[in-house]
Amino acid sequence: MDNFFEKVWDVACVIPVGRVTSYGAIARYLGTARSARMVGWAMNNCSAAKVTVPAHRVVNSKGILTGKHHFQGAYVMEDLLKSEGIEVKDNQIVNFDEHFWDPIKELGIH
């Protein structure tokens, strides 16, 4: 489990500022396409990582901020995304496709 979490965190750490990816995209990149929920668990536990993980850049497949309740404030995730130039409306990223970062396309097949 810890090794999987570390792999998830490694991917999350290379998401560029102003871009986002999804739990499922990280799972597919890691070769575990059916483990999007486990990616979510890893993001929920990123405080255990040895580095700062930009968990705010990981959302669901529709661009909805489903992990926002795991941040210390109700609007922390949204505020972090907005500070990086990403517009959020009603807990969803506006123009999600334009901001989507696909680790398979960007990093190659794992």
Side-chain angles (χ1 to χ4, degrees):
M1 181 87 62
D2 288 339
N3 190 29
F4 180 78
F5 281 19
E6 289 173 5
K7 289 177 182 178
V8 169
W9 298 333
D10 287 345
V11 175
C13 284
V14 295
I15 302 168
V17 172
R19 304 290 299 277
V20 293
T21 196
S22 67
Y23 305 106
I26 291 175
R28 285 188 296 279
Y29 172 75
L30 294 175
T32 57
R34 299 174 60 100
S35 64
R37 288 181 189 240
M38 289 303 297
V39 171
W41 278 102
M43 300 301 351
N44 294 342
N45 290 288
C46 66
S47 62
K50 295 175 182 161
V51 297
T52 301
V53 178
H56 64 284
R57 297 182 189 146
V58 183
V59 298
N60 83 358
S61 63
K62 295 179 181 167
I64 299 172
L65 313 186
T66 53
K68 73 177 192 162
H69 59 279
H70 293 285
F71 288 81
Q72 290 188 344
Y75 298 99
V76 171
M77 185 177 189
E78 181 176 336
D79 290 343
L80 287 168
L81 289 167
K82 286 180 176 180
S83 75
E84 295 182 359
I86 297 176
E87 184 180 352
V88 177
K89 183 176 182 183
D90 297 326
N91 293 315
Q92 188 168 11
I93 294 172
V94 176
N95 298 320
F96 177 60
D97 292 340
E98 291 178 22
H99 298 286
F100 185 73
W101 181 84
D102 186 345
I104 291 176
K105 289 180 182 175
E106 301 295 334
L107 302 175
I109 296 176
H110 182 65

